Amino acid sequence: MRAKIWFPERQVIEDHDVDHAAAFDLNEVETVEIEGVVYVLTPIVEDPNADFTASRKGVA
C-alpha cells in the first residue's frame, strides 16, 4: 500500500510503499530505506495528514 510517512527530523511527509499488515502488527517491524538510511515506521503520528511516523534506525 502507498502510505504517507512523516519524517520528523526532515520535517516532511512523503508517499512510500509499505506492507500494511506488517506496519500494524506488533510482532513485525516495518522499515523503509531512503537514500541509504533505514527508518522504522510506527502508526503513532504527530501530523494528522500522515499514516506513519518514521524513526531513524541507522544506515543501510
Side-chain angles (χ1 to χ4, degrees):
M1 89 175 233
R2 291 295 280 179
K4 294 188 180 300
I5 303 171
W6 169 243
F7 295 87
E9 69 181 38
R10 295 172 33 215
Q11 296 292 297
V12 66
I13 294 177
E14 296 178 352
D15 288 336
H16 291 279
D17 289 319
V18 299
D19 180 340
H20 186 265
F24 284 100
D25 186 341
L26 296 176
N27 296 316
E28 297 282 335
V29 175
E30 180 65 5
T31 61
V32 63
E33 181 182 333
I34 301 166
E35 297 176 3
V37 179
V38 178
Y39 296 90
V40 175
L41 303 182
T42 58
I44 300 167
V45 293
E46 300 169 8
D47 188 301
N49 297 316
D51 301 308
F52 300 99
T53 296
S55 301
R56 187 182 181 124
K57 180 179 177 184
V59 180

